[in-house]
Every structure is written in C-alpha cells, then in structure tokens.
C-alpha cells in the first residue's frame, strides 16, 4: 500500500502542464484549495454544517483569501472577488466539464476566457484572456507554500492499493 499527498497532486498537475494536458492540470490546480482547506479547517466548527459535513464554498473561499498572493497577477485578472471566481470555475470544471464566463463578478463587467500555450494573459475591452499555465502555476505555488507553512508536507492521507 502507498499513499498520496497534496505534493503528489501538485507534481502530477505540473506533469499535466508539461504534457500540454491543460484541462487535467486546471482540474488538479482548482481542486488544491479544496484539499488544503479541509486540512486547514478540519477542527474548526465554523467550517462545518450541523450535520458535520464541510461547508465547501466557505472553506475554499476563505483558504484562497488567506493563502493566495493578493498583490499578484490573480487579483489583476480575476478581480477582488478572485476567491469566489476560482470556486465558481472549480465547480464548473469539476461538475460540468466546462467553465462559464462570469462578468457579474467584475465591477467593470468583463468576463474571461482561457488560453493555452505560451501566450500571456491579456486584458481586452470586453473580456480577459487567462493563460491556463499561469493560473495553474499560481495555484500550485500557493498550495506548496501552504503545505510548507502548515506542515502538511508529510500528510499521507489517501491510501492507494496496488492490486497486482
């Protein structure tokens, strides 16, 4: 039996980027705040419903607000409500397989689209084009930094059985 840690997810997300498997990388990157937040808030009753289940939206948004660099690229492209925007993108991609454009999240009414490849993120008149690699790397770095700070590097919490 072996175990998977958050660091393993980050490494696999980066391998997906290198292989130009952008949707896989984006899915992993957007799931990391969920994984980290459940560990961070595991013993805080404010992050659970009365039935004991996690309040996923609150966990995700609060973790992003506390752990993603607020002075960086993410605010300039996703806006002040970046944590809510990330949660919405995560839900769309994980649950529906696509990402919506959410112009109502922006005070200026601009929406966004994703780009792949080497072109940088760009702001145009009516929308922003967000580079998937840049967004993923921002989330990978935030999760890595949190793991180091929180001491989650050694957490091996998902068991994997080798049936061979």
């Amino acid at each position: 039996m072996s175990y998977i840690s958050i660091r393993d997810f980050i490494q696999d997300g980066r391998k997906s980027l290198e292989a130009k498997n952008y949707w896989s990388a984006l899915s992993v990157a957007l799931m990391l705040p969920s994984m980290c937040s459940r560990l961070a808030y595991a013993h805080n009753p404010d992050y659970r419903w009365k039935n004991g289940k996690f309040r996923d939206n609150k966990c995700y948004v609060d973790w992003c607000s506390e752990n993603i660099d607020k002075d960086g690229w993410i605010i300039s492209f996703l806006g002040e409500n970046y944590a809510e925007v990330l949660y919405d993108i995560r839900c769309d991609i994980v649950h529906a397989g696509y990402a919506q454009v959410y112009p109502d999240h922006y005070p200026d009414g601009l929406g966004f689209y994703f780009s792949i490849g080497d072109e940088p993120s760009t702001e145009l008149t009516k929308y922003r084009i967000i580079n998937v690699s840049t967004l993923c790397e921002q989330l990978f770095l935030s999760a890595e930094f949190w793991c180091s700070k929180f001491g989650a590097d050694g957490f091996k919490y998902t068991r994997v059985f080798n049936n061979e």
Side-chain angles (χ1 to χ4, degrees):
M1 176 173 40
S2 61
Y3 296 92
I4 298 174
S5 70
I6 290 173
R7 290 257 187 213
D8 295 321
F9 280 97
I10 294 168
Q11 289 172 356
D12 288 345
R14 285 193 171 124
K15 287 178 188 173
S16 291
L17 277 180
E18 289 171 14
K20 298 184 189 284
N21 187 350
Y22 296 107
W23 283 110
S24 175
L26 189 57
S27 297
V28 169
L30 290 166
M31 289 186 303
L32 287 169
S34 292
M35 292 184 251
C36 294
S37 68
R38 285 198 176 199
L39 290 171
Y41 308 130
H43 303 293
N44 186 333
D46 294 340
Y47 290 92
R48 293 189 183 258
W49 297 107
K50 288 181 182 179
N51 65 6
K53 291 187 179 189
F54 281 97
R55 297 173 62 196
D56 288 326
N57 183 297
K58 180 173 177 48
C59 290
Y60 193 101
V61 168
D62 286 359
W63 187 90
C64 287
S65 296
E66 294 169 11
N67 294 285
I68 293 178
D69 181 13
K70 294 165 190 58
D71 297 327
W73 171 90
I74 219 139
I75 295 259
S76 64
F77 272 86
L78 296 182
E80 293 293 325
N81 297 331
Y82 69 93
E84 290 88 356
V85 173
L86 287 171
Y87 183 75
D88 286 343
I89 297 169
R90 172 218 165 269
C91 289
D92 282 348
I93 288 176
V94 170
H95 299 297
Y98 65 91
Q100 294 277 8
V101 176
Y102 290 102
D104 57 316
H105 282 293
Y106 300 103
D108 55 12
L110 296 179
F112 65 87
Y113 296 91
F114 290 110
S115 71
I116 56 175
D118 296 329
E119 62 276 348
S121 298
T122 309
E123 185 169 340
L124 301 171
T125 306
K126 301 219 178 209
Y127 55 90
R128 293 171 179 96
I129 300 173
I130 298 171
N131 182 281
V132 170
S133 297
T134 303
L135 178 59
C136 288
E137 194 55 39
Q138 282 281 330
L139 293 169
F140 295 152
L141 288 170
S142 296
E144 275 180 330
F145 183 74
W146 177 84
C147 283
S148 298
K149 181 176 80 174
F150 186 74
D153 285 334
F155 286 13
K156 303 283 187 183
Y157 58 89
T158 302
R159 291 180 178 92
V160 179
F161 292 92
N162 183 348
N163 290 330
E164 292 183 4

